[in-house]
Amino acid sequence: MRNTLFDLPIGKTAIVQAIRAEGMTRRRMMDLGLVPGTKVEAVRLSPAGDPKAFRIRGAIIAFRQEEGTQVIVDMKEEQ
């Protein structure tokens, strides 16, 4: 089973492995610096549980679950 960006617990970091999104969503993610090899940290979760905010290259960016589950991450970084 592969972990997605939305599975990342608050306060934990991971490395982006792949982006499965297509079209404009993929383009938007890449424009925001979310490319394979990028370190991401989950920083906040909306009280409603969606969206979740992440620190990406020093910026805080929120993704809804629909978008976050399209990014595959490696959570082994801090083990």
Side-chain angles (χ1 to χ4, degrees):
M1 181 176 150
R2 301 189 122 185
N3 294 313
T4 69
L5 185 62
F6 207 80
D7 298 329
L8 188 62
I10 301 300
K12 299 293 183 182
T13 60
I15 301 295
V16 174
Q17 297 298 306
I19 299 174
R20 293 188 294 190
E22 296 181 355
M24 290 302 293
T25 301
R26 181 182 179 88
R27 177 63 190 220
R28 178 177 165 253
M29 289 178 173
M30 296 184 83
D31 286 348
L32 294 171
L34 193 64
V35 296
T38 301
K39 182 178 178 180
V40 295
E41 177 187 5
V43 292
R44 297 232 175 182
L45 178 64
S46 164
D50 190 19
K52 188 181 272 187
F54 303 91
R55 184 181 321 277
I56 301 171
R57 299 180 187 264
I60 304 297
I61 300 167
F63 290 107
R64 296 210 171 272
Q65 184 173 7
E66 179 181 341
E67 299 164 327
T69 56
Q70 296 182 36
V71 179
I72 306 302
V73 297
D74 182 2
M75 294 188 193
K76 295 179 182 173
E77 180 179 313
E78 289 189 303
Q79 293 180 358

